[in-house]
Every structure is written in structure tokens, then in C-alpha cells.
Amino acid sequence: MRLLLAFLLTLTQAHAQGFAGLGTQADGFAVPTPNPNFTFPEDHGPHPDYRIEWWYLTATLQGEDGTDYGIQWTLFRSALTPETSSDWTAPQLFMGHAGLTTPDQHFSAERLARGGLGQAGVAANPFRAHIDDWQMASTATNGDAYNALHLSARGTDFAYALDLTANGPLIFHGQDGYSVKSAAGQASYYYSQPFYTVTGTLNLPLGDVPVTGTAWLDREWSSQPLSEDQNGWDWFSLQFEDGARMMAFALRSTDGSSFTSATWIEADGTTESYGDGRVTLTPLDTTEVAGRDIPTEWQLIFPERGIDIRTTPINAQSWMDTSFPYWEGPISFTGTHTGRGYLEMTGYE
């Protein structure tokens, strides 16, 4: 319990610097710089000299009867100092989030742990990220460790076990993986594997549900990814019916402006990055969620790609009731293009 309280206190103090401890000051930690040189499988693992890092997977799924579902599996690493140790004094803290969305219900769970004790951690080779009995582990027998994964998590009223196989390359956002987050130049290292096919089982209160679908894994680390006036973000991963994908986000500022970025991903993995102002994200309708108004329907306009779409949630009540609450759930979209995806929104308090 003392560890739990210390972890929550640390993150609460860091909240003054942004959502979930995302800092505006580096405070002795390493800072991302342009022209990154990624090395795999090492960069699939942790980077303790950076303040914040995550392994973030979402999946859009369907049952055998065509019912839509979505799951989230996330492991956050937050550092007190840019050091490592293998005992209870380890400065690396871990927070796990799991979510499962149905058209009628949304389930969420959270785990907290300190690194160095074996309760949580990440290994690069063979790749395995875990916290308690939740895990994301490579099952690949050759090639990149992310080519095949097994994923599992459970909460009070739900669980899931999924197998993922990648059928496309890793995708690097921004300038070859250097992703700028503000006009002041804050940035992160950011890459994804958005080409997973998924099979597995959801364990729900009414029984087990076999599912198939697609998944998207985000990897990101930094030490100061937010500027002083940024207080939240809206992040979209979109999968078009023709096989193309797209990532887009808007980081909101207190003056009402936003800093945007997007990555267009062809079906063969060819990418093109677009900087601030090239994509417009506009909320169209709100829903009362957990006592606050959340913009759950959006218009996304991307003139250079001829895109004008409207997104709709599978379940508007997809609220992650965790230490840092936020909205996260599967969506569909219509307009000039159709498809499915995921939406995350933070900072709506």
C-alpha cells in the first residue's frame, strides 16, 4: 500500500506538468533530438534515461455475429530519476491500463508497480512487457520481435487473450520517428506497428466471445513532450477499407488553439508525414460522460488526401476510470471514406 500511495503521489505531483506526468521540463533526463537512429530489437525495450514511455495497443474487433468490440492494453513507464536498480529503490514506476468496449458496456482496469522487483518491467530480447499477470510478449520465431505477439489482461468483470500477427512494416512518425509536439519544439520518439491481424477470446460477464480483427501498437518515449500551455490531446488511428491507415493528433492549448500532426500510411507501408495545420479536427457532438461533456463525434478534414469524414463511437461511454481518467474507445467513420479506428481524448476535466 505504501508503494501504491507513493506512486500515486508522484504522478499527482507530475500532473502539474501535463497528463499522466508528461513533463514540460526535462530535469536531467535525456531529450529527443532530430535524425534518430533506431536499433532493434533494443528500442522495443525500455529507455530509462527518458522520463516517460509507453507500449500502447488498441484493437478493433468483431464477434462471429458481427458485433463490434474494442480493447486497449497499455504499459506506461515513468521515471523519478534517469537511473535503474534491481530492488525496492528502483526509480522506474509502471502503470498498466486495460480496457474492453462493447456496444453497451465499457470495462477498465489499472495496475501499479515499481520496477526492479519483478512485478513489472519490459525486456527487449526476447520482447516481453508485463505488470502483474498482464503481458504483451513476442511469439515471433524469426524477424522482428513485434511480428507476432500474445496479449492478455484482466479486470474485475472482464479479461481477454489475443494473438497478433503483423503483415506490414514498422511505421515511423514525424521526421523518421522524431515527432514534434508543439510550436516550441517539444518532441518524442514515436513509431508504430499498425498492421496486425488479431484472433482471440474476450471474457465477458455473459460468457466468452471469440473475436477477429485488427490492432495498432504505438511506441513512444520522451522527457518533455508538452509545452507549458498544452493541457490535453485528441488522437486518432484510422484504418480505411482499401487497406490504408492514418494517424492524426491535435494537442490542445489553453488559448483554444491546437498543434496537429498526421501520418498517412499506404497499404504497402509507404508513409508521408504532415506537420501542424495540415489536418483539421473539429468536434461535432458531445456526450455527458462521467459528469463532463466529452466530444464523442468528430469531423476530420485532410484536403491533401481528399478526406472529409465523420467519426462515431461504438460506445460513447468509453471512459477509462483510472488514476488519470480519459476517454478511449473504438470508432467507425463515414464520408468520403469509410472504415474503423480508435480515438483517445485526454484533459477533459
Side-chain angles (χ1 to χ4, degrees):
M1 179 61 71
R2 180 177 298 177
L3 172 61
L4 172 61
L5 292 175
F7 186 88
L8 292 176
L9 177 60
T10 299
L11 291 181
T12 301
Q13 291 170 338
H15 195 344
Q17 297 193 50
F19 175 80
L22 293 180
T24 60
Q25 302 296 324
D27 296 333
F29 290 89
V31 177
T33 57
N35 304 311
N37 182 20
F38 293 95
T39 302
F40 298 110
E42 290 80 6
D43 277 326
H44 292 329
H47 300 82
D49 46 340
Y50 292 82
R51 183 201 301 275
I52 184 73
E53 182 167 22
W54 54 71
W55 295 257
Y56 209 122
L57 189 139
T58 56
T60 56
L61 306 169
Q62 284 190 323
E64 294 173 344
D65 63 355
T67 300
D68 289 323
Y69 300 93
I71 68 95
Q72 173 202 349
W73 191 103
T74 309
L75 186 64
F76 300 94
R77 181 195 59 78
S78 181
L80 303 176
T81 61
E83 303 168 357
T84 59
S85 64
S86 57
D87 57 26
W88 65 271
T89 66
Q92 305 294 325
L93 309 178
F94 289 88
M95 177 169 63
H97 287 176
L100 195 163
T101 306
T102 79
D104 304 313
Q105 294 179 287
H106 179 80
F107 304 92
S108 64
E110 182 176 64
R111 299 286 187 268
L112 304 170
R114 183 185 287 272
L117 300 175
Q119 183 184 356
V122 181
N125 190 22
F127 172 75
R128 179 174 181 257
H130 79 283
I131 184 166
D132 294 336
D133 61 342
W134 301 5
Q135 72 167 336
M136 176 193 294
S138 178
T139 57
T141 57
N142 53 60
D144 192 279
Y146 282 4
N147 282 348
L149 296 174
H150 179 74
L151 187 79
S152 62
R154 66 176 58 252
T156 302
D157 299 316
F158 75 98
Y160 53 75
L162 304 171
D163 291 303
L164 295 78
T165 302
N167 53 19
L170 296 177
I171 299 301
F172 296 85
H173 301 286
Q175 303 163 8
D176 299 319
Y178 178 76
S179 174
V180 177
K181 295 297 195 289
S182 76
Q186 275 82 6
S188 68
Y189 293 137
Y190 182 13
Y191 70 90
S192 301
Q193 174 46 271
F195 289 109
Y196 286 116
T197 57
V198 183
T199 61
T201 302
L202 310 180
N203 307 118
L204 294 166
L206 294 179
D208 292 350
V209 180
V211 290
T212 58
T214 61
W216 180 304
L217 172 63
D218 269 355
R219 283 285 290 115
E220 195 161 8
W221 62 95
S222 186
S223 295
Q224 51 171 151
L226 299 182
S227 66
E228 295 285 353
D229 64 343
Q230 290 176 320
N231 58 4
W233 63 81
D234 309 299
W235 173 89
F236 295 79
S237 65
L238 304 175
Q239 302 167 34
F240 296 83
E241 288 191 349
D242 65 0
R245 271 102 165 134
M246 178 178 171
M247 183 282 299
F249 66 75
L251 279 159
R252 304 187 309 277
S253 296
T254 54
D255 65 2
S257 64
S258 295
F259 183 90
T260 65
S261 182
T263 304
W264 179 260
I265 308 166
E266 297 285 1
D268 65 0
T270 304
T271 63
E272 187 167 353
S273 296
Y274 296 84
D276 185 31
R278 311 285 280 279
V279 171
T280 302
L281 305 173
T282 305
L284 297 178
D285 198 8
T286 61
T287 303
E288 184 174 344
V289 182
R292 64 207 79 192
D293 290 331
I294 303 293
T296 50
E297 295 192 14
W298 290 76
Q299 182 182 33
L300 190 154
I301 299 177
F302 192 3
E304 291 166 79
R305 290 286 174 177
I307 293 172
D308 184 349
I309 59 174
R310 179 173 183 143
T311 72
T312 304
I314 301 304
N315 182 343
Q317 298 295 322
S318 299
W319 188 246
M320 295 296 293
D321 187 18
T322 52
S323 298
F324 295 90
Y326 55 100
W327 196 101
E328 177 112 26
I331 58 175
S332 62
F333 56 89
T334 57
T336 58
H337 299 68
T338 58
R340 306 169 72 195
Y342 239 84
L343 168 60
E344 178 189 71
M345 299 179 285
T346 73
Y348 291 96
E349 299 181 352

